[in-house]
Amino acid sequence: MEKIKVGIAGYGTIGQRLADGVALQKDMELVGVADLVPTLAVRALAEKGMPYRLFLGDGADKEAFQRLGISVSGSFEEMIQASDIILDASPAGIGIKNKNLYEKNGVKAIFQGGEKNSVADVFFHGYANYEKGVGMDYLKLTSCNTTGLIRAVDCLDRAYGINKTAITIIRRVADPGDYHRGLTNALQIDKAPSHQALDLMTIMPHIQATGILVHTPVTHGHIISVIVSGKQKITKEMALKSFRLHPRIRVVSIAEGFLGNASLFKYARDLGNPRGDMYEIALWEDSIVESGDDIMFAIHIPQESVTIPETIDGIRASCRMQITSKEGTEKTNEYLHINHEQQA
């Protein structure tokens, strides 16, 4: 079977990780990555020996790359023409402009969560609505918080059925290395309901969802408190059984030393994961509480890497590599080595 050729627009926080993720897929070929300026990420790519080919978007200062000795393989449009599908990881609002080039060249594309839903045919999640993306030309991923939230809610919904959910998101204010949000010593609350709750209902319209979001002056990960109302009473033991069977949910506990977001980031580095990334969301066993007929739990969202598996699921769906969620997600998990074993 001929490999699917994948190009990546934007080599920033997400683009770097998408490139690494696609490069691990044995049934895909990474054509290259495209960017406009020699950012630190691009300079690091060059210093590592240019493992991925670099293409330049319109308006890029070619001389700036030449002065740094960074080799360039061609234009953004040339990368598009050599690809079957583009993963657009450009800044929010740029993807919709890039779509004109994708349509002109007859190439499929997957957009990240920052773009408006109207940019795509399907608002996509690898577990919750994979089949809706099969064969579609343009998909849009959910945001990092929504991606992880849906994993957990969909997990329980498939096992027991869910009527509604209410969430509180403790949101990191910026990615590591970002300075544009300033230096703060404050929390900021958004107007309810949060977009993550609304997005969940778009993907899973049979569930009522609402939520509150609080911005916090930290960088390594979000924490979401989730309350779920099942079609039947879900006990802690029932929830744990399902969570432990989900390959993209890592069940952890405070007793083990996972005290919060920093513990998980350090653990990922100790595992030797590149950049301290973790594809799985973490779910605290200690946080699972039964409240009447409802159940409550807390999850950690590694915002820089959590959407990578679902994006690769999107390639599989859009290009009809696998036509069911089970087949597609299992193949993605296999190549990304998401195979940690958990005691039931």
Side-chain angles (χ1 to χ4, degrees), residues 4 6-9 14 18 22 28 84-90 95 98-99 102 107-113 115 119-125 133 136-142 307-319:
I4 295 296
V6 183
I8 296 174
I14 300 298
L18 286 174
V22 169
M28 299 178 191
D84 297 310
I85 189 167
I86 300 294
L87 306 183
D88 195 298
S90 53
N98 290 341
K99 186 180 179 181
Y102 307 149
V107 173
K108 295 172 179 283
I110 299 177
F111 302 90
Q112 291 300 305
E115 294 296 326
V119 76
D121 304 317
V122 175
F123 196 20
F124 180 84
H125 190 280
M136 294 296 180
D137 289 335
Y138 302 107
L139 306 181
K140 197 203 95 162
L141 265 291
T142 53
T307 62
I308 306 307
E310 275 76 4
T311 307
I312 294 173
D313 295 340
I315 299 172
R316 298 186 177 284
S318 178
C319 296

Side-chain angles (χ1 to χ4, degrees), residues 52-123:
Y52 311 137
R53 292 199 296 165
L54 177 66
F55 296 81
L56 298 187
D58 291 342
D61 184 354
K62 294 182 180 179
E63 291 185 0
F65 289 85
Q66 292 172 348
R67 286 194 298 271
L68 292 168
I70 299 175
S71 61
V72 174
S73 296
S75 69
F76 180 34
E77 190 158 9
E78 286 174 326
M79 184 188 78
I80 294 171
Q81 292 167 350
S83 303
D84 297 310
I85 189 167
I86 300 294
L87 306 183
D88 195 298
S90 53
I94 303 299
I96 186 65
K97 298 176 182 177
N98 290 341
K99 186 180 179 181
N100 294 327
L101 280 174
Y102 307 149
E103 291 176 325
K104 171 187 170 184
N105 290 282
V107 173
K108 295 172 179 283
I110 299 177
F111 302 90
Q112 291 300 305
E115 294 296 326
K116 293 183 179 179
N117 292 357
S118 58
V119 76
D121 304 317
V122 175
F123 196 20

Side-chain angles (χ1 to χ4, degrees), residues 16-28:
Q16 296 174 66
R17 291 164 170 83
L18 286 174
D20 293 347
V22 169
L24 290 172
Q25 307 300 302
K26 295 181 181 178
D27 49 4
M28 299 178 191

Side-chain angles (χ1 to χ4, degrees), residues 166-222:
I167 62 174
T168 301
I169 300 176
I170 305 165
R171 184 186 186 276
R172 70 93 182 90
V173 72
D175 285 333
D178 286 350
Y179 291 92
H180 64 280
R181 298 287 178 93
L183 305 177
T184 62
N185 183 30
L187 302 179
Q188 180 180 334
I189 190 167
D190 278 0
K191 182 179 179 181
S194 68
H195 82 78
Q196 292 85 0
L198 301 178
D199 289 348
L200 183 144
M201 287 191 289
T202 302
I203 298 283
M204 306 177 74
H206 59 287
I207 295 178
Q208 288 183 285
T210 190
I212 293 171
L213 186 147
V214 180
H215 299 271
T216 58
V218 299
T219 59
H220 289 305
H222 317 287

Side-chain angles (χ1 to χ4, degrees), residues 7 11 34 43 57 60 71 97 112 168 172 191 241 263 269 285 309 316 333 337:
Y11 194 66
R43 292 173 68 170
S71 61
K97 298 176 182 177
Q112 291 300 305
T168 301
R172 70 93 182 90
K191 182 179 179 181
K241 179 181 178 181
S263 304
R269 288 192 301 180
E285 179 178 354
R316 298 186 177 284
N333 293 343
H337 309 297

Side-chain angles (χ1 to χ4, degrees), residues 204-241:
M204 306 177 74
H206 59 287
I207 295 178
Q208 288 183 285
T210 190
I212 293 171
L213 186 147
V214 180
H215 299 271
T216 58
V218 299
T219 59
H220 289 305
H222 317 287
I223 291 177
I224 308 180
S225 168
V226 186
I227 301 173
V228 165
S229 300
K231 293 182 178 179
Q232 58 177 296
K233 178 174 172 56
I234 303 172
T235 66
K236 178 174 181 175
E237 290 71 26
M238 291 165 66
L240 264 175
K241 179 181 178 181

